[in-house]
Structure formats: C-alpha cells, structure tokens
Amino acid sequence: MSYQVLALKYRSQTFQDVIGQTQVTTTLSNAIASGRVAHAMLFTGPRGTGKTTIARILAKAMNCEKGTSPTPCNRCRSCRSITSGSAPDVFEIDGASNNSVDQVRDLRDNVAYMPASSPYKIYIIDEVHMLSNAAFNALLKTLEEPPDHVLFIFATTESHKIPVTILSRCQRHDLGRIPLPLIAGHLGDLCAREGFFLAQESIDLIAAEADGSMRDGLSLLDRIISSSPEKEISHNAILQNLGIVDKLVIFDIATAVFQANGADVIALVSRIHDQGHDLKKFYSDVIVHFRNMAVVKISGKNSTAADILDQDREKMRTMVEPLSQTHLIQLLDILLKEEATVKFSSHTKSALEMVLLKLVLIRPGFDIDEMVQKLDQIAQKIDISSGEDTPAAPSSAAGN
C-alpha cells in the first residue's frame, strides 16, 4: 500500500519540528549538546502528544553517523533506518504485548552485547505501565546500572501505574496537551501542502475535536480528506462526516438558557435529535461549554484555563458579562449532577430537555458577598439611628 496517513507522512523528524512540547525538546537538546543524557528516561503525557516521536528523534540524535547532536541529519543510514523502524540497534517494544517477566529477562540478557553498528543500543518501550510487577522487578538492577552503551526510553500515558522504584531510576519528562491554536495552525499548514481548502472555522472545529492530541487531529483531517473527491470541502460536509454539532448551536443553547427561553431550548434539542447526532456526546459538549464560560467569567478572557479560540473567548466574555459567578456555577453544578440522568436514561432526548429546562428555571441568585455588604450597611445605619434616638442619661450631680 503506497498511501501514508498524515500522522506518518508528516511525523516530526527533528526536535524543532515537534509542536507544543518546547519544555521537553529544549531540555533534551541541551542535554545532548552538553553530554549529559540520562541512561533512562520516561516520557509521560496524554495520547498523541509526541512521546514516541520524541523518543525516535532522541535515538537518531544519539546514533547519527554524523555524530551525536541535538539535530540529527536524517540522511545517513542510521537516521533513515530509525525513521523506517528497521534500525538493528534501536528496539521499539510494545509494553502491552511484551509484558511478561521472561521477555524482560531476555531483554536484560541482550543488554550486555555491544551495538551492531551504532554508538548506542536504545530500547524504546511504549506503554511501559503495562509491564507486570515481576517484569518491573526483573528490570530494576539493569535500569539502575546499565552498560555505557545502553539507553532506555519509556513512554506511557499512565505514569501513576509505574512502580516508584522504576520512577526513581528514570529522568522524567512530562508532555502536556497541545494548545488548540497550535493544532489548528498545523492542520492548516498540512491542508495547504496537500492541496485541500478548508475554511478556518472547519480547521478550528477539527482542532477542538482533537482535544489536545495532534495525532487525533491528523486522523480526523485524514478522514475528511479521504471522504471527499473535491479539493474544497464545505463546513457542513465536515460536520456531517464527523457527526459533530456546530458550536453555534451550543452558543444558541446557552443564550436560550440565559434568556429563560424554554421554547428555544426544546426546538434546538429537537433539531439536533432530528439530525441524528449523539445526544449524550452533545450533553458532554454543553458541560464543557458552560465550564469554559464560568472560567472566562472568573479568571478573565486572558486565562489559558479555557482552551478555546480567541473569538470564542471574546464571545463568551460578552455573554457572561451581565451574569454573576454564582449563577454560572449554579448552572454548571446542575449539569454535572444530572449527567448520570442523561447518560443512563432510556429516553435520552426527554432527559436532556428536562435538564436544560431546569437551567432555564434557575434565576440569577443574589451574590453572597454583595448580600453581606448590604447587610453590614443596614446594620451600621441602624446603629447610627439608634445612637441618635437614645436620650442622654441625666447627670447624677444634677440632683445635689
């Protein structure tokens, strides 16, 4: 099969190409340049954020025939074989399917042999948390004092499942979720390189659905491009292809709730249901939307706690400006408490309508701080007026 999916075709080949993980790539580049590379490293973070990609780049940087350098040449035999996954001295191991103690003992025995043609023998173990406890124990001593020609690189999405004895022997690097604007920018660049035209709102939509994972974003983009014979793909076609509710509908839901317009809420839910969208997924999107509005209200429009586009952030700021923090938190609290109702109901549409109509019936509450302040002012006025009305006590000397 000659076709390569976008995630493989455009996989980063140098540290400079890695998107959104500057804190890790800069540290590794400096460590390589100064000759202070740890013999065991752990890359941990959400799926699709670049753990295995960075591990491969590190392997190329250490084994490049041009010499160890933060920037591998990607042209020599060693670099090309690592890129293709056929390097004799770089072993990529799936921790999920090679998790027994016997397999780790074989690995431990092979560590002693010198590399075939490279400076280092490098073991990349993906999803290392899947190893059994016995396998971890068999690896302890080798991991603590490996031969000088061996480098271990572990990758995992669940570092909390790795024994502390293993963690203490590794240099840990935490990869974070990739911000939405960076994913959108990269997807836009790839569309241009592939000769496809997508509107910016479509690219932003795909980036939002990726949820911080570049690989997920590339997979979604690949699906959209493969589904269309045209070079220009409409926004509606993308919505239908991915089964996503347009974010404008969620903004309309929020507006109907704030305006206490129950009829609009029911109409919007019916429209989403008639279009065949997953109502449970839609409810999850509504929760995220109200959460982001609460964050914008509490932390301000410049807060990075809400991973949304600038135009959406500004629109939310305008919507929540007349509302109190208390009211928004009340709405979000109801949505979270009723999540199980929608999730497990056999009448999902009715359950969703009921929860959203509950939000409509919530009236903006009186802010507690403002209430306390007003009560203090009233108490002060009462004290002042009481002091003025009370007559002065007669002097005891007056009667003498």
Side-chain angles (χ1 to χ4, degrees):
M1 185 180 295
S2 59
Y3 178 72
Q4 268 192 318
V5 295
L6 297 177
L8 296 179
K9 184 177 181 179
Y10 294 102
R11 192 169 200 165
S12 301
Q13 301 300 328
T14 65
F15 288 131
Q16 291 79 12
D17 295 337
V18 177
I19 296 173
Q21 307 299 347
T22 308
Q23 75 284 3
V24 176
T25 56
T26 301
T27 300
L28 292 176
S29 297
N30 293 337
I32 295 168
S34 60
R36 301 180 65 86
V37 178
H39 63 265
M41 296 190 190
L42 173 67
F43 297 146
T44 178
R47 70 184 190 282
T49 51
K51 298 183 292 297
T52 307
T53 294
I54 292 176
R56 284 188 177 183
I57 297 172
L58 177 58
K60 286 191 289 187
M62 300 299 294
N63 280 349
C64 182
E65 292 178 3
K66 304 294 184 182
T68 300
S69 166
T71 307
C73 71
N74 283 312
R75 293 186 300 273
C76 67
R77 182 182 60 180
S78 176
C79 287
R80 285 186 284 109
S81 62
I82 292 173
T83 300
S84 63
S86 60
D89 295 317
V90 177
F91 305 90
E92 293 194 32
I93 302 169
D94 177 21
S97 56
N98 297 274
N99 56 6
S100 70
V101 64
D102 291 333
Q103 289 165 321
V104 171
R105 283 173 180 164
D106 290 340
L107 180 153
R108 184 184 61 187
D109 293 339
N110 291 329
V111 161
Y113 298 107
M114 295 297 294
S117 59
S118 306
Y120 295 94
K121 211 171 189 179
I122 300 175
Y123 292 88
I124 301 174
I125 304 181
D126 199 11
E127 298 302 336
V128 69
H129 67 272
M130 298 293 287
L131 295 183
S132 64
N133 287 331
F136 276 126
N137 292 333
L139 194 59
L140 281 177
K141 187 62 177 177
T142 304
L143 192 61
E144 186 171 18
E145 298 178 2
D148 293 338
H149 60 269
V150 172
L151 173 62
F152 286 101
I153 305 176
F154 300 145
T156 181
T157 54
E158 301 183 59
S159 58
H160 59 280
K161 293 184 178 180
I162 301 176
V164 178
T165 49
I166 295 292
L167 293 175
S168 64
R169 289 166 168 80
C170 299
Q171 184 182 89
R172 176 170 172 163
H173 297 275
D174 289 272
L175 284 72
R177 295 173 70 256
I178 302 175
L180 192 152
L182 291 182
I183 297 179
H186 187 57
L187 295 180
D189 291 342
L190 296 190
C191 284
R193 292 168 71 174
E194 289 289 314
F196 284 83
F197 176 77
L198 275 69
Q200 188 59 49
E201 63 174 337
S202 300
I203 294 174
D204 294 339
L205 176 72
I206 299 169
E209 282 297 304
D211 193 26
S213 168
M214 183 62 76
R215 186 177 63 225
D216 286 5
L218 293 174
S219 297
L220 291 172
L221 181 61
D222 219 335
R223 172 177 162 186
I224 291 166
I225 290 176
S226 300
S227 68
S228 174
E230 304 295 333
K231 290 295 183 180
E232 183 172 346
I233 307 174
S234 69
H235 186 64
N236 286 335
I238 292 173
L239 290 172
Q240 292 175 3
N241 186 289
L242 299 181
I244 300 173
V245 176
D246 193 340
K247 65 182 177 182
L248 295 178
V249 176
I250 301 181
F251 272 106
D252 290 342
I253 285 282
T255 300
V257 168
F258 296 152
Q259 295 177 352
N261 192 331
D264 279 358
V265 167
I266 293 174
L268 287 167
V269 172
S270 295
R271 189 208 307 177
I272 295 165
H273 180 262
D274 292 342
Q275 291 173 350
H277 292 293
D278 183 352
L279 294 182
K280 295 176 182 178
K281 171 66 168 59
F282 171 72
Y283 186 77
S284 177
D285 293 339
V286 170
I287 291 178
V288 172
H289 187 81
F290 274 84
R291 179 262 176 193
N292 287 334
M293 286 194 295
V295 169
V296 169
K297 178 67 177 181
I298 295 170
S299 303
K301 68 175 184 178
N302 295 324
S303 173
T304 58
D307 188 17
I308 52 179
L309 297 169
D310 290 340
Q311 58 265 33
D312 291 340
R313 186 179 282 106
E314 181 61 30
K315 188 173 182 178
M316 287 182 180
R317 186 196 65 79
T318 303
M319 290 180 65
V320 302
E321 189 172 11
L323 305 174
S324 68
Q325 295 181 16
T326 304
H327 182 50
L328 289 171
I329 292 172
Q330 283 178 330
L331 298 178
L332 184 58
D333 183 56
I334 290 175
L335 287 171
L336 291 172
K337 286 180 177 178
E338 298 292 347
E339 185 175 14
T341 302
V342 176
K343 184 176 180 180
F344 298 109
S345 175
S346 57
H347 302 280
T348 309
K349 181 184 176 184
S350 299
L352 176 59
E353 290 172 338
M354 180 202 71
V355 175
L356 294 178
L357 289 175
K358 276 188 178 181
L359 302 186
V360 169
L361 296 175
I362 297 295
R363 293 291 179 264
F366 205 72
D367 188 76
I368 297 298
D369 292 336
E370 185 180 351
M371 182 182 296
V372 172
Q373 185 179 3
K374 288 186 178 294
L375 288 175
D376 287 341
Q377 292 174 354
I378 293 172
Q380 290 175 2
K381 290 180 180 179
I382 292 175
D383 290 341
I384 293 172
S385 60
S386 297
E388 291 176 352
D389 294 342
T390 303
S395 173
S396 59
N400 294 333

